[in-house]
Amino acid sequence: MDPAAVIGVGMTRIEADKRSDTFADMAWEAVNLALADAGISIDDIDNVVTTSNDFWDGRTISCMAVGDASGARHKNVSCVEGDGAFGAFYGLTRILSGAYGTTLVTAHSKGSESISSLITNAAFDPVYDRSLGLDMISACAMQAMAYMHRTGTRPEHLAAVSVKNHGNALKNPLAQMPMSLTLSDVLASEMIADPLHKLDCSPVSDACCALILASEDRAARCPAKPVWIKGVSFCADAYYLGDRDLSRAGSLTQAAQNAFRMAGINDPGKEIDVAEVYDAFTYQELMWLEAMGLCGDGRAGTLLEKGHFDVNGRLPVNPSGGLLSGHPVIAAGLIRMAEIVKQIRGQAGGYQTGRAKTGVAHGVNGLCGQSHCVWVLGEEK
Amino acid sequence: MNPFSTDVEPMVYESGINVPYSWWAGETAGRFFEGLRDEGIIRGTRCVSCGRVHVPPRKSCPKCFHSGTEWVELSGEGVLQTFTVVRRQLAAVRQPVPVVFGLIRLDGADTALLHRIGEVPADAVRIGMRVRVKFAETRCGNIQDIACFIPCP
């Protein structure tokens, strides 16, 4: 792959209910923060990719709600439905095609404006599944149960993810739910769907994130220090939950292996300095780390207890507080990428990790992690 | 980012998305539902190339991408692969909680069917337990023709 870089990132605060800002207002804020971060103007943007979902936005062709605010008027603008990490992948391929030197990628959503249980229920097949009444929480609860059964991971391990990530968010001014918790707080919180307590689940959130990608040539002309794309890959599993072994994430393993191979990484557990993974639920952080090969299968819970994944641990995971501390779906994966960029530049403030030369960011689309997109970002080309 | 201006009243446009929509089941799911409704039989499809048996049935094999499938009858008994007990009345859940959802791998099938688990205390449900189908008394040709899966005696 030809060298390409992230040259600017911008994101709004993640909030439970952004009453003062429309979708376009959020996009405007994130885009302008990203442009300022890169030290360029909207005239330097060759094309735009927005990421959104019509059901979440309550409108047909939801991307059109944010095009103007993203400076896309009179530019080539395209849309990805799904997670922002996948929008960024498309944005990157547009640069690699040679047609564009820069791509502005945005991703937005407002969970506060609808009912997430009904929106995610509509992800189930209408003919075979939907009327049964599952949604993202109940489906992921089944996955958590299968994962815990196979690996021996215990509720206390899950709770420790919540304690760590909400605690990390105390240092992140953009996080929605910074909290100082104990394991007992998590385990005593309402049981929503076994084995997931309320504090095992990410909150409903509103936010927008923007990221600017550039070719090698354009990155060199940009005032900001580029963060290089070392490897990237995405891979999808079967759609129907019953067609998969829900206790494993084979498509993530494949995506991660591809991305690490591109990046020349042989032992990700040792060579990756920081990770931002898609912790929509506590168990997912553990399961995804194992599937990515960042630790041994079934080992994440024990390593977590030993502080391995703390901000000052061997492999800091979700130092920003992760999605447990604020989960704007669609924007979530792009935020993971933006957080890794901040870490590599040394701009993560109170949650800056010690050594962050190479980091991994992860986005998910679909029920129970059907599709995974893995980005390896680094300080050096 | 900006707190709402104190001199602007927060206003909302209240609406909802309720667009009638009819999904044709297609011939494969149609035959599956006929079996549930008229015969009380759960059918799957076997890929003639890789031999994998899919329940619910598919017209082509999602695993090996082959188009040829043949119908097989399942016994209606199988193993619970995973489950959850939903305890909060989430908006998508249509019955009073607690409701148990599970993935049931029927004997002879290579994939699992998503459905409810019933006639058992929620706290007694276990991964690996054997369950069998219980059909609904009134059947209309859809997935609800299966009332739930219940523990085998």
Side-chain angles (χ1 to χ4, degrees), chain B residues 68-142:
Chain B
T69 55
E70 58 190 18
W71 287 96
V72 292
E73 281 184 21
L74 286 304
S75 70
E77 275 191 34
V79 174
L80 184 61
Q81 289 199 310
T82 189
F83 70 97
T84 184
V85 183
V86 180
R87 301 187 188 266
R88 183 194 277 191
Q89 197 68 54
L90 299 163
V93 179
R94 299 178 178 199
Q95 295 152 309
V97 293
V99 172
V100 184
F101 292 115
L103 280 168
I104 303 103
R105 187 151 106 176
L106 295 170
D107 296 343
D110 292 294
T111 66
L113 184 68
L114 194 57
H115 221 289
R116 288 178 296 267
I117 308 299
E119 297 187 11
V120 55
D123 293 328
V125 180
R126 294 284 179 273
I127 287 178
M129 72 190 281
R130 286 197 62 79
V131 292
R132 63 185 167 90
V133 64
K134 179 183 178 182
F135 285 100
E137 286 177 17
T138 310
R139 306 206 285 260
C140 313
N142 60 49

Side-chain angles (χ1 to χ4, degrees), chain A residues 36-353:
Chain A
D37 184 49
I40 61 174
S41 83
I42 194 70
D43 296 333
D44 298 312
I45 297 296
D46 292 355
N47 83 115
V48 179
V49 173
T50 64
T51 322
S52 57
N53 174 283
D54 291 4
F55 259 54
W56 280 110
D57 281 13
R59 58 186 293 162
T60 310
I61 320 180
S62 54
C63 55
M64 295 306 172
V66 294
D68 288 355
S70 305
R73 210 168 171 197
H74 304 308
K75 292 188 198 296
N76 184 316
V77 57
S78 190
C79 183
V80 168
E81 190 283 335
D83 179 71
F86 297 77
F89 188 100
Y90 182 36
L92 172 65
T93 60
R94 293 183 132 217
I95 288 172
L96 296 176
S97 73
Y100 305 102
T102 57
T103 306
L104 168 66
V105 184
T106 71
H108 74 270
S109 80
K110 281 187 143 190
S112 69
E113 296 189 344
S114 61
I115 300 171
S116 57
S117 177
L118 297 179
I119 300 282
T120 58
N121 170 252
F124 284 84
D125 181 74
V127 173
Y128 282 142
D129 295 334
R130 194 178 297 176
S131 73
L132 295 171
L134 282 108
D135 63 7
M136 186 63 88
I137 293 180
S138 49
C140 287
M142 290 198 306
Q143 183 172 43
M145 196 77 90
Y147 165 73
M148 293 167 79
H149 181 79
R150 180 178 67 77
T151 59
T153 301
R154 291 180 285 108
E156 293 76 13
H157 292 130
L158 270 59
V161 177
S162 186
V163 171
K164 171 177 72 72
N165 291 1
H166 284 291
N168 288 350
L170 292 166
K171 301 283 179 62
N172 180 356
L174 300 182
Q176 176 188 334
M177 289 183 75
M179 293 167 87
S180 187
L181 295 173
T182 64
L183 292 182
S184 319
D185 292 334
V186 181
L187 295 169
S189 65
E190 176 196 356
M191 183 63 90
I192 296 181
D194 299 17
L196 301 178
H197 298 85
K198 184 179 178 184
L199 288 171
D200 286 305
C201 305
S202 53
V204 170
S205 309
D206 298 352
C208 182
C209 184
L211 192 135
I212 301 167
L213 302 169
S215 65
E216 181 177 26
D217 173 47
R218 294 289 285 278
R221 285 192 264 149
C222 169
K225 182 170 160 41
V227 169
W228 297 98
I229 297 160
K230 313 280 287 180
V232 59
S233 177
F234 81 72
C235 186
D237 206 332
Y239 168 53
Y240 290 101
L241 300 183
D243 285 11
R244 305 185 221 159
D245 175 355
L246 273 192
S247 76
R248 297 176 193 274
S251 57
L252 175 56
T253 300
Q254 197 171 332
Q257 285 175 352
N258 290 344
F260 291 139
R261 192 181 308 117
M262 282 174 77
I265 288 172
N266 299 312
D267 187 349
K270 290 202 170 72
E271 295 173 62
I272 294 294
D273 300 317
V274 57
E276 284 276 343
V277 305
Y278 206 103
D279 59 327
F281 301 93
T282 48
Y283 80 91
Q284 292 190 340
E285 179 170 305
L286 305 174
M287 190 171 162
W288 304 154
L289 286 170
E290 293 168 13
M292 279 195 264
L294 290 170
C295 70
D297 189 35
R299 292 274 300 139
T302 310
L303 288 168
L304 174 72
E305 280 180 329
K306 292 179 178 167
H308 194 81
F309 304 126
D310 290 351
V311 171
N312 57 3
R314 163 56 203 97
L315 172 57
V317 176
N318 291 326
S320 68
L323 299 178
L324 289 167
S325 306
H327 183 188
V329 291
I330 311 298
L334 206 60
I335 292 173
R336 307 271 70 67
M337 293 177 66
E339 291 294 350
I340 292 297
V341 169
K342 288 189 209 171
Q343 290 287 344
I344 289 171
R345 288 170 167 176
Q347 293 174 344
Y351 58 100
Q352 179 66 45
T353 62

Side-chain angles (χ1 to χ4, degrees), chain B residues 1 28 37 39 52 54 66 75 94 97 109 112 123 146 150:
Chain B
M1 187 68 108
T28 305
R37 183 189 63 192
E39 303 166 89
R52 203 169 138 95
H54 287 93
H66 197 277
S75 70
R94 299 178 178 199
V97 293
D123 293 328
I146 296 173
I150 61 175

